[in-house]
C-alpha cells in the first residue's frame, strides 16, 4: 500500500532527517519546521522506525483538509477519511494533537470532535453500534496549522529518541536525537579520538560509537505499528535483520569521562546495553585536566546550562575555565552545546561556526571551534 508519511523531529534537525529519508530510498514531498513529509509503503514504516537517528516519530498521514472556522468542517473532513484502512473494529483510537495559528484553537474540543467523527465512520463501515476499543493502540494525532488540518496515526509508540539503552539517566539528560545531530556535525573519524569529558549518562559518546559502527538506533526496541492489523510483522523482522547485517566493526575510539563517579558508572552500563562498550573507554576525570597526549582529537560535550544543573554564576565560571584549558589542547576541534547566549564571551573565544539547535524546548547554540587557537 502506498502511504503518505511524516517524520517529526526537534527544530533544527530537519535537514539531517531529510538526508536520512533520501538515503533510505524514499521521496520527500514537503518540509516544515519540525517535520518532513515523504512517501513509502509498509516497509518504510518499519525501516524508518528502526534506522532513523534524527526522527522523534514516524506517522501515517490519513488525510489533510481545510478546517477553516467551524467544528462542523473539522467533523466532516475527519469523517470523510478512510480510517477503516488503518483501524480495526476492535482497535483503540485516542486522539491528541496541536493547533497553531488557527481558528479552531481549543485542543480538547478538537480531540472530542475528531474522536466522534472517527467513531461514526468506523461504526458505519463495520456495521456496529458500539466499538469495543480493546485491541491494538492506534494513536490518532492531529496538527492544525493556519486552518489546515493533517490527521495522522502514530506508528512509533514511545518517541524514537528512546533507543532503549538509557533506562536511567542523570539529572539533565540530552535527548538521543540531538546527540546524534551533534555527533554528525562533529564529523567523527576512525583515526581521530572522540572525547566527551562531561559525559553525564554517556549519550553523546554512545551515539558516536553507534554511528561509526553503523548500528541502527531502533534495533533493540518495539514499535506501535507492530500490532497494526494492516502491517505484516515480517516487515519489522526484515528491517531488524537488515540492520544487524549492516553493523560494521570499527577501531573508532571514544573516551567518555566525568568528574562524577556515578555518571561514569551509568555511562558504562548504558554503553553495554547499546552494544558499543568495546569502542568506549569510560573513566572518572575532571574535564579541566584532560590532555591530548600527542593524539589528534575531537571534543563534543554538553556542559551544565544553569537551567537544571548548577547556578548561573557557577556555570559562567565553568565556561571561563573550559575556555582557558581547552585552548591548550593543540589543534583539537571543540564542539560545545549551550543555552547561554553569552557563551563565546565567557569561553573567551569566538566560535568558527554556530548551529542553532533545541534541547527539548530550550534553544541552544552548538559552538564549533576548529581553527588554530592562541594558547596564551
Amino acid at each position: 500500500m502506498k502511504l503518505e508519511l511524516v517524520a517529526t523531529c526537534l527544530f533544527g534537525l530537519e535537514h539531517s532527517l531529510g538526508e536520512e529519508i533520501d538515503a533510505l530510498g524514499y521521496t520527500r514531498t514537503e518540509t516544515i519546521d519540525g517535520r518532513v513529509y515523504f512517501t513509502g509503503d509498509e516497509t518504510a514504516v518499519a525501516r524508518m522506525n528502526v534506522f532513523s537517528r534524527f526522527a522523534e516519530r514516524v506517522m501515517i498521514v490519513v488525510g489533510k483538509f481545510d478546517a477553516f472556522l467551524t467544528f462542523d468542517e473539522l467533523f466532516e473532513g475527519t469523517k470523510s477519511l478512510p480510517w477503516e484502512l488503518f483501524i480495526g473494529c476492535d482497535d483503540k483510537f485516542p486522539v491528541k494533537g496541536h493547533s497553531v495559528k488557527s481558528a479552531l484553537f481549543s485542543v480538547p474540543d478538537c480531540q472530542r470532535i475528531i474522536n466522534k467523527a472517527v467513531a461514526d465512520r468506523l461504526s458505519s463501515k463495520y456495521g456496529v453500534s458500539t466499538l469495543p476499543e480493546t485491541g491494538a493502540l492506534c494513536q490518532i494525532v492531529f496538527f492544525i496549522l493556519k486552518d489546515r488540518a493533517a490527521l495522522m496515526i502514530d506508528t512509533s509508540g514511545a518517541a524514537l529518541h528512546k533507543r532503549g539503552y538509557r533506562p536511567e539517566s542523570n539529572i539533565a539528560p540530552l535527548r538521543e536525537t540531538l546527540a546524534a545531530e551533534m555527533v554528525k556535525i562533529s564529523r567523527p573519524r576512525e583515526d581521530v579520538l572522540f572525547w566527551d569529558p562531561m559525559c553525564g549518562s554517556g549519550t553523546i559518546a554512545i551515539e558516536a560509537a553507534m554511528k561509526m559502527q553503523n548500528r541502527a538506533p531502533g534495533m533493540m526496541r518495539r514499535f506501535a505499528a507492530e500490532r497494526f492489523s494492516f502491517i505484516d510483522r515480517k516487515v519489522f523482522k526484515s528491517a531488524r535483520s537488515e540492520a544487524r547485517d549492516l553493523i560494521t566493526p570499527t577501531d573508532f575510539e571514544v573516551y567518555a569521562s566525568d568528574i562524577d563517579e556515578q555518571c561514569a558508572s551509568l555511562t558504562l552500563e548504558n554503553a553495554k546495553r547499546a552494544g558499543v562498550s568495546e569502542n568506549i573507554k569510560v573513566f572518572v576525570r575532571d574535564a579541566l585536566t584532560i590532555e591530548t597526549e600527542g593524539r589528534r582529537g575531537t571534543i563534543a560535550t554538553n556542559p551544565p546550562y544553569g537551567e537544571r544543573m548548577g547556578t548561573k554564576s557557577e556555570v559562567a565560571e565553568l565556561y571561563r575555565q573550559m575556555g582557558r584549558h581547552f585552548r591548550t589542547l593543540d589543534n583539537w576541534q571543540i564542539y560545545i552545546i549551550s543555552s547561554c547566549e553569552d557563551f563565546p564571551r565567557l569561553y573567551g573565544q569566538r566560535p568558527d561556526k554556530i548551529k542553532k539547535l533545541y534541547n527539548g524546548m530550550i534553544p541552544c547554540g552548538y559552538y564549533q571551534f576548529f581553527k588554530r587557537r592562541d594558547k596564551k
Side-chain angles (χ1 to χ4, degrees), residues 237-282:
K237 182 178 180 181
S238 175
R240 290 190 179 96
S241 177
E242 178 187 0
R244 285 191 295 271
D245 289 343
L246 289 173
I247 295 174
T248 305
T250 176
D251 293 329
F252 180 63
E253 189 174 10
V254 182
Y255 282 3
S257 60
D258 201 285
I259 198 171
D260 187 330
E261 186 174 351
Q262 288 187 327
C263 286
S265 296
L266 184 59
T267 293
L268 182 58
E269 291 302 313
N270 290 341
K272 289 176 180 177
R273 275 187 287 266
V276 295
S277 58
E278 68 270 23
N279 291 107
I280 301 179
K281 180 181 179 181
V282 182

Side-chain angles (χ1 to χ4, degrees), residues 119-132:
D120 282 6
R121 169 88 182 201
L122 294 177
S123 294
S124 175
K125 290 295 181 179
Y126 291 125
V128 298
S129 57
T130 303
L131 296 164

Side-chain angles (χ1 to χ4, degrees), residues 5-234:
L5 302 166
V6 60
T8 62
C9 64
L10 294 173
F11 292 146
L13 272 60
E14 297 87 355
H15 179 74
S16 292
L17 177 55
E19 289 184 334
E20 191 171 56
I21 290 168
D22 295 343
L24 287 171
Y26 306 117
T27 302
R28 281 186 273 172
T29 57
E30 182 183 8
T31 300
I32 62 175
D33 287 347
R35 56 193 62 214
V36 181
Y37 290 87
F38 62 104
T39 56
D41 56 12
E42 292 93 333
T43 62
V45 171
R47 295 179 74 235
M48 276 298 297
N49 274 297
V50 169
F51 283 97
S52 181
R53 298 188 191 281
F54 306 105
E56 291 295 318
R57 295 186 181 277
V58 177
M59 297 187 284
I60 297 168
V61 181
V62 181
K64 301 176 184 176
F65 55 87
D66 293 324
F68 293 117
L69 301 176
T70 72
F71 286 116
D72 283 343
E73 290 170 316
L74 179 61
F75 180 90
E76 293 301 330
T78 301
K79 189 174 179 179
S80 70
L81 299 178
W83 295 102
E84 66 279 3
L85 295 180
F86 309 104
I87 302 176
C89 182
D90 296 334
D91 293 343
K92 297 184 284 286
F93 51 95
V95 179
K96 64 181 180 181
H98 301 280
S99 180
V100 180
K101 298 179 181 178
S102 299
L104 302 180
F105 59 86
S106 171
V107 169
D109 286 336
C110 290
Q111 288 175 294
R112 177 176 52 82
I113 293 297
I114 292 169
N115 186 271
K116 187 177 187 306
V118 175
D120 282 6
R121 169 88 182 201
L122 294 177
S123 294
S124 175
K125 290 295 181 179
Y126 291 125
V128 298
S129 57
T130 303
L131 296 164
E133 297 194 55
T134 56
L137 174 63
C138 297
Q139 177 71 62
I140 296 173
V141 181
F142 69 87
F143 181 56
I144 305 176
L145 175 63
K146 296 179 181 178
D147 299 320
R148 183 159 179 81
L151 274 72
M152 299 154 286
I153 294 176
D154 175 29
T155 72
S156 300
L160 295 179
H161 73 264
K162 298 180 180 180
R163 318 289 207 210
Y165 64 73
R166 200 177 70 176
E168 296 182 13
S169 58
N170 61 337
I171 193 171
L174 187 74
R175 195 171 290 194
E176 292 89 333
T177 44
L178 177 58
E181 176 72 1
M182 293 170 60
V183 167
K184 179 189 175 189
I185 292 172
S186 68
R187 298 180 297 113
R189 287 147 288 171
E190 195 165 77
D191 59 342
V192 177
L193 174 64
F194 187 97
W195 194 341
D196 181 358
M198 301 179 186
C199 66
S201 55
T203 311
I204 297 172
I206 291 169
E207 290 294 322
M210 290 177 67
K211 174 181 172 59
M212 294 301 286
Q213 283 190 12
N214 201 27
R215 181 179 290 268
M219 264 197 328
M220 305 187 329
R221 52 159 288 177
R222 296 289 173 178
F223 308 98
E226 293 185 73
R227 295 193 63 200
F228 291 176
S229 58
F230 69 95
I231 293 183
D232 191 331
R233 293 186 185 183
K234 291 179 181 178

Side-chain angles (χ1 to χ4, degrees), residues 331-335 352-353 368-373:
N331 288 319
W332 279 32
Q333 295 185 352
I334 312 292
Y335 298 82
D352 298 298
K353 196 170 183 180
Q368 303 163 51
F369 304 90
F370 41 77
K371 292 181 180 178
R372 180 176 294 276
R373 288 173 287 279

